[in-house]
Amino acid sequence: MKITDAKVFVGGPKKNYVTLKIYTDQGIYGLGDATLNNRETLPASYLTDYLIPNLIGLDPRNSEDIWQLFYRGAYFRGGPIAMAAYGAIDMALWDIKGKIADLPLYQLFGGKSRDGAMVYAHATGADLEDLMDSVACYVEDGYKAVRVQCGIPGMPTAGYAVPETKGGMRNYITDYSGIRPSTEIWDSGKYMRYMPGALMEIREKFGPELKILHDVHHRLTPREAAEFAKSVEPADLYWLEDPTPAEDQDALKFIRRHSTVPIAIGEVFNTIWQCNKLIEQELVDFIRVAVTYAGGITHVKRIVDLAALHHVRTGFHGAPSHSPLCMAAQAHLNAWAPNFGVQEYLVLGTPECDALFPSEHLMTNGMFYVSDAPGLGVDFDEAEAERYSYEPGSHPIVRLEDGTLWNY
């Protein structure tokens, strides 16, 4: 079996999904996701200009060697652009393997460890009352885990993942449109004084069984993060996400000395070498890598295996920038992984998205059930893809009230 061609498609409903399709001489094709949020044209160009020409003629079954070829064969290694491109190739090659074997991918990993995988939703509100309404909606829908974010009194702008106005924003997603980023204003003091009490009110209202998650989004210093983690212990969080910037990994040692709150980190990591020490030293409780950004199934499976040795569970990134292909790859890993924790899941199942990426995977009552279709279990409608084109966008930036640039 040989690879005969590969194509890259950029576009999708309200997202610039980067979809790779690898063709073989036996009529079997594989699909992969290379979407790098708000930098989508970069992995797309890397695939088209360099990687695809080097794929032609290779045996797609040799996915390990192909992964090593592109990662170790490159003098400048890693980084989100390259790893997203490698991730798409690796995902597509695994998809081909599954189709050859006529088996869903989880069977190639070792079979299921569970019937369904728990997912968490994003509850948000302009204020705490608004957030409570959002949480209640998800609880009514059967969710057992919810991430909570709300506006902070006195903060000049709404803040991370928070709508500006109340009501009707249950599935709110930050607006990334436009090449020039919007600006959020941040005040750590106001946040640290308000949020511990707000989290405690949520716990008191919804009881001990609901798994409550909260994302700091890298915005505290190590000392602040340690103080904050200790202050939210009574709220019994399922996890506290990204309390400090990921570059300063020693900060997590400081947090660990002061609090027992579970820590989740890793959505910006691209390789095992960025998170192996955190895992081996057991400084995190959940590892948040994504199959796309972290170089595909081959590499992420290594991270999961390492994490399992150190009591670290998975909590894969699942922002709407990941297409249904990445989410399917993670769903197969979730079905298999003995150390599965939870899966982030934002609403993808619009009619437009389902038409572009048809599948029989099922998300219901806060649980994701992977289908038994061969490979990833997701197809791609090229005719439907012609409806969409690339639209540039950017993440917001964050500044302090005096204008100092801060961490997004």
Side-chain angles (χ1 to χ4, degrees):
M1 176 179 276
K2 300 295 182 183
I3 295 171
T4 57
D5 196 9
K7 295 180 181 179
V8 178
F9 304 83
V10 181
K14 298 183 179 180
K15 278 291 171 184
N16 296 311
Y17 294 132
V18 181
T19 304
L20 173 68
K21 189 172 185 178
I22 296 179
Y23 305 85
T24 70
D25 59 2
Q26 295 187 20
I28 297 174
Y29 61 85
L31 299 168
D33 175 29
T35 310
L36 181 62
N37 200 17
N38 295 312
R39 298 293 184 269
E40 298 92 347
T41 57
L42 302 180
S45 294
Y46 189 34
L47 282 163
T48 301
D49 297 341
Y50 180 77
L51 300 179
I52 288 175
N54 282 279
L55 274 175
I56 306 305
L58 299 182
D59 187 333
R61 295 169 293 188
N62 295 332
S63 56
E64 179 67 52
D65 185 67
I66 291 172
W67 195 93
Q68 298 293 340
L69 168 68
F70 290 132
Y71 184 83
R72 299 182 71 181
Y75 184 67
F76 298 101
R77 297 180 180 178
I81 297 167
M83 295 304 278
Y86 304 160
I89 292 171
D90 189 71
M91 213 180 295
L93 298 182
W94 275 96
D95 192 26
I96 290 170
K97 287 174 186 283
K99 291 172 180 175
I100 293 170
D102 196 29
L103 290 172
L105 288 190
Y106 69 78
Q107 292 289 11
L108 303 187
F109 304 154
K112 281 186 178 181
S113 295
R114 58 196 53 80
D115 293 326
M118 180 176 66
V119 305
Y120 72 86
H122 285 196
T124 187
D127 58 20
L128 182 56
E129 180 185 27
D130 204 25
L131 170 59
M132 293 284 200
D133 291 341
S134 180
V135 174
C137 287
Y138 284 115
V139 170
E140 289 172 9
D141 280 353
Y143 282 83
K144 301 173 181 62
V146 181
R147 193 193 80 170
V148 297
Q149 313 289 140
C150 71
I152 308 299
M155 199 86 83
T157 61
Y160 170 66
V162 173
E164 294 283 351
T165 57
K166 294 184 64 170
M169 305 300 285
R170 174 184 169 190
N171 294 321
Y172 174 78
I173 296 175
T174 301
D175 182 8
Y176 300 128
S177 62
I179 195 63
R180 287 187 177 273
S182 61
T183 300
E184 297 177 4
I185 305 300
W186 178 257
D187 187 309
S188 295
K190 290 183 174 70
Y191 168 79
M192 291 177 64
R193 288 189 292 272
Y194 181 75
M195 205 64 211
L199 291 170
M200 197 62 214
E201 287 190 46
I202 295 168
R203 171 60 69 207
E204 290 170 350
K205 178 169 182 175
F206 292 98
E209 297 303 319
L210 181 66
K211 292 175 173 59
I212 299 172
L213 301 78
H214 179 65
D215 189 356
V216 183
H217 224 251
H218 319 110
R219 298 192 181 184
L220 298 179
T221 66
R223 187 211 62 76
E224 291 170 341
E227 178 184 334
F228 185 78
K230 188 173 182 63
S231 70
V232 300
E233 284 181 359
D236 189 25
L237 297 182
Y238 185 71
W239 81 31
L240 184 66
E241 183 178 345
D242 290 333
T244 57
E247 295 92 337
D248 184 6
Q249 298 188 2
D250 283 340
L252 296 175
K253 297 178 183 178
F254 189 73
I255 297 170
R256 276 288 203 233
R257 288 197 295 268
H258 291 82
S259 176
T260 59
V261 167
I263 301 297
I265 197 169
E267 68 184 57
V268 298
F269 292 158
N270 309 126
T271 73
I272 195 170
W273 297 283
Q274 290 175 307
C275 58
N276 63 317
K277 297 303 181 185
L278 295 180
I279 293 170
E280 290 164 359
Q281 296 176 26
E282 299 177 10
L283 298 176
V284 295
D285 301 277
F286 296 88
I287 187 66
R288 294 266 296 134
V289 294
V291 169
T292 295
Y293 300 161
I297 291 168
T298 296
H299 196 61
V300 168
K301 194 170 184 299
R302 289 197 172 95
I303 295 173
V304 174
D305 283 332
L306 176 64
L309 298 178
H310 294 280
H311 322 291
V312 175
R313 289 182 283 175
T314 63
F316 294 138
H317 193 222
S321 52
H322 300 306
S323 87
L325 294 169
C326 177
M327 296 303 291
Q330 295 181 171
H332 284 282
L333 288 167
N334 292 336
W336 154 77
N339 54 325
F340 168 75
V342 69
Q343 171 65 59
E344 181 179 23
Y345 189 92
L346 272 72
V347 176
L348 295 174
T350 63
E352 295 83 4
C353 200
D354 292 343
L356 185 59
F357 296 100
S359 82
E360 295 181 359
H361 299 310
L362 176 65
M363 217 294 292
T364 183
N365 293 320
M367 301 288 287
F368 193 99
Y369 298 91
V370 66
S371 83
D372 286 328
L376 287 169
V378 180
D379 210 343
F380 178 70
D381 190 324
E382 292 187 38
E384 187 72 15
E386 293 179 0
R387 296 178 52 194
Y388 304 104
S389 59
Y390 172 72
E391 296 183 9
S394 291
H395 280 92
I397 60 170
V398 177
R399 293 185 182 274
L400 303 183
E401 291 192 66
D402 67 359
T404 303
L405 195 70
W406 204 240
N407 305 305
Y408 180 74

